[in-house]
Amino acid sequence: MLDLKLITDNTEEVIKRLETRGGDFSHLRSIPIMVDQRRDLIIKGDDLKAKRNQTSKLIGEYKRQGKDAREILTSIANYGDEIKEIDEQINELENKIRDILLMTPNLPSLEVPVGADESANKEIKRWGTPRKFDFPVKDHVDIGVGLGILDFQRAAKVTGPRFVYEVGLGARLERALIQFMMDVHSQEGGYTECIPPYIVNEDSMYGTGQFPKFKEESFKLEKFDWFLNPTAEVPMINMYRDEILDVELLPLKYCAYTMAFRSEAGSAGRDTKGMLRQHQFNKVELIKFSTPEDSYKELDLMLASSESILQKLELPYRVVVLSTGDMGFSMSKTYDIEVWLPGQDKYREIASISNAEEYQARRANIRFKRSKDAKTEYVHTLNGSGIAVGRTVIAILENYQNADGTVTVPKALIPYLKTDIIK
């Protein structure tokens, strides 16, 4: 969440920057007022407590002198009632302030292009040249169904829409990609491999910013206060919730494989065909915990790590910086990597690499110390949503398709798939 002092000291500037995301944030003007009210109540409560303590000292004196102490006891009781009422008012104000902070997104970095939506995103790089085909191009659905490696109809029968059976070499292709990505990141990028829990608790969802804003879109386990993991970002960032890290450990770097689950609420009619927008999908994600001064350097290194996967697979892509209106709730700056999909004749997002700065660390209370006697500081958290494995399957099927319906395997994957062609 945002720093309360930042909002109270720079209210208009914070509102101005947040409104570049779209929406009205004028309600933040109530925060300095509530902070002042809370301070005044604390002063009043402390004054009453001091009077109560001073009055309490008279009880012993009255008893020693044989005086009736009932009036003093009544006075103390009245002080107690007033103090209780003030404490309740303070608690109510604190809850109101916290609720507002939890619903307030992160401040966009000043480097981020200002715009209402994806049309304002800024392309900064392209890699590779889209292949020119001398035969009619198919999309991944026609290719996969034709080869018998993707089965959407039976998945819809067994579960519902936006699920798929990956069969035979389809299953092996996805499994090979997961191992390939984990190997590259751990062996070449120096990331520590991790497979986190697929189920997370409510505190974890609050810690990374999924709750309360997106609570209605989550998959909740009936009879439990548990939720299906929407992204490795949730279990991985919360791995260090309420901990103080040694600065010598930073940056902490993880590559995490997880299965993710999303309701995709609000996306009806968008990308419903095939594997582009599934309720269940595999991801290999990159997570970092960094000192504030190094976080943007680490962000660029994370981007390079993600790009290396597509370069090794020889898949054309471009990199864009998301505009203020297109960024995720918790992020201050985000790069999207968009892979070329011949079946759609366009670039489509396959990975997001983001810096949340201290926003998630404040929510999850993740701090570090530069020395034994130094004050604690919040780490910066970075999330490279990694390369979505399912979308990489799509990209391979479409970019490496052949006229006879078969698919050539990228050279980097042949040792993992044990074949050079899918047929």
Side-chain angles (χ1 to χ4, degrees):
M1 65 181 72
L2 296 181
D3 181 6
L4 180 61
K5 190 174 187 302
L6 174 69
I7 296 176
T8 55
D9 291 351
N10 306 276
T11 308
E12 296 306 317
E13 176 64 20
V14 169
I15 291 173
K16 181 180 177 181
R17 286 176 62 183
L18 284 175
E19 287 184 343
T20 65
R21 283 180 167 272
D24 180 9
F25 293 90
S26 59
H27 62 277
L28 292 179
R29 294 190 179 98
S30 67
I31 284 188
I33 296 171
M34 288 190 286
V35 168
D36 287 345
Q37 291 173 339
R38 175 181 175 275
R39 183 196 60 230
D40 292 344
L41 285 168
I42 289 173
I43 292 172
K44 184 177 180 181
D46 288 346
D47 183 52
L48 286 171
K49 289 172 185 176
K51 290 179 178 178
R52 181 181 62 182
N53 293 339
Q54 189 65 33
T55 304
S56 296
K57 294 177 182 178
L58 295 175
I59 296 175
E61 185 178 334
Y62 268 49
K63 286 183 177 180
R64 285 193 298 272
Q65 296 177 4
K67 294 182 179 180
D68 187 352
R70 282 180 295 180
E71 186 176 338
I72 295 177
L73 292 172
T74 300
S75 176
I76 290 172
N78 290 337
Y79 282 138
D81 291 340
E82 287 187 71
I83 291 167
K84 180 181 178 183
E85 184 179 343
I86 287 173
D87 286 344
E88 289 174 351
Q89 292 175 14
I90 291 171
N91 187 58
E92 183 179 353
L93 282 171
E94 289 176 343
N95 287 337
K96 285 181 179 179
I97 292 170
R98 180 171 176 79
D99 287 346
I100 292 174
L101 292 177
L102 288 173
M103 287 296 292
T104 302
N106 200 355
L107 280 177
S109 165
L110 294 174
E111 299 177 355
V112 171
V114 175
D117 52 37
E118 63 184 19
S119 64
N121 294 348
K122 181 181 178 182
E123 181 180 319
I124 61 170
K125 179 180 182 179
R126 289 196 181 199
W127 186 93
T129 303
R131 175 184 169 191
K132 295 187 181 299
F133 294 85
D134 56 6
F135 57 87
V137 175
K138 296 180 181 179
D139 66 15
H140 72 283
V141 176
D142 290 338
I143 297 168
V145 172
L147 289 170
I149 62 173
L150 300 178
D151 192 332
F152 298 96
Q153 287 189 342
R154 289 190 174 93
K157 175 182 68 176
V158 169
T159 308
R162 299 194 184 183
F163 290 89
V164 65
Y165 278 104
E166 292 172 284
V167 182
L169 283 173
R172 196 194 301 177
L173 175 59
E174 179 126 353
R175 180 163 55 89
L177 281 167
I178 293 168
Q179 184 174 346
F180 167 71
M181 293 177 187
M182 294 290 276
D183 283 353
V184 170
H185 290 316
S186 61
Q187 296 172 15
E188 298 182 17
Y191 292 83
T192 300
E193 294 186 48
C194 187
I195 301 178
Y198 291 178
I199 296 172
V200 295
N201 59 30
E202 190 170 64
D203 285 344
S204 295
M205 296 289 265
Y206 274 100
T208 46
Q210 275 70 25
F211 287 1
K213 184 175 177 62
F214 305 107
K215 193 168 188 176
E216 297 306 314
E217 300 178 18
S218 64
F219 285 119
K220 188 177 189 301
L221 275 65
E222 190 174 359
K223 299 181 182 179
F224 295 93
D225 287 328
W226 289 343
F227 300 83
L228 293 181
N229 159 50
T231 168
E233 172 189 344
V234 179
M236 292 306 299
I237 297 297
N238 282 279
M239 187 177 183
Y240 292 101
R241 188 173 73 235
D242 295 323
E243 293 190 28
I244 298 175
L245 306 176
D246 187 329
V247 70
E248 298 299 325
L249 297 175
L250 302 177
L252 284 167
K253 301 166 53 176
Y254 291 98
C255 60
Y257 161 69
T258 188
M259 188 172 288
F261 304 87
R262 294 185 187 173
S263 68
E264 294 292 355
S267 62
R270 296 177 57 203
D271 302 328
T272 55
K273 182 182 179 183
M275 295 173 62
L276 272 168
R277 200 177 288 272
Q278 299 261 287
H279 292 305
Q280 169 190 309
F281 50 95
N282 291 310
K283 294 179 76 179
V284 173
E285 303 192 41
L286 303 179
I287 301 292
K288 286 185 180 181
F289 301 83
S290 169
T291 57
E293 65 270 20
D294 289 336
S295 68
Y296 277 96
K297 177 189 73 175
E298 295 297 336
L299 180 67
D300 289 339
L301 291 172
M302 184 181 281
L303 173 63
S305 295
S306 297
E307 288 184 69
S308 72
I309 298 295
L310 296 182
Q311 291 175 9
K312 290 176 184 296
L313 295 174
E314 300 182 74
L315 292 169
Y317 67 88
R318 68 174 189 164
V319 179
V320 299
V321 181
L322 297 194
S323 71
T324 53
D326 197 32
M327 278 198 310
F329 181 84
S330 299
M331 302 307 162
S332 187
K333 183 176 182 179
T334 297
Y335 295 109
D336 265 10
I337 301 177
E338 300 177 349
V339 69
W340 177 255
L341 297 183
Q344 294 196 21
D345 194 33
K346 64 169 64 174
Y347 289 96
R348 296 301 304 267
E349 181 215 331
I350 197 170
S352 289
I353 297 89
S354 304
N355 190 347
E357 297 189 358
E358 65 179 40
Y359 184 86
Q360 291 177 324
R362 281 187 174 276
R363 296 174 76 107
N365 193 31
I366 308 170
R367 295 161 293 162
F368 75 99
K369 296 188 74 168
R370 297 181 186 272
S371 67
K372 182 180 178 180
D373 299 323
K375 68 175 183 177
T376 58
E377 302 175 52
Y378 288 104
V379 300
H380 279 198
T381 60
L382 297 89
N383 172 40
S385 69
I387 303 294
V389 183
R391 292 200 174 192
T392 310
V393 169
I394 294 172
I396 289 172
L397 294 181
E398 294 190 6
N399 281 279
Y400 283 90
Q401 63 182 290
N402 300 314
D404 63 358
T406 62
V407 176
T408 301
V409 174
K411 293 177 182 177
L413 280 185
I414 292 175
Y416 293 88
L417 267 174
K418 310 300 182 185
T419 181
D420 59 0
I421 194 166
I422 299 173
K423 60 181 179 179

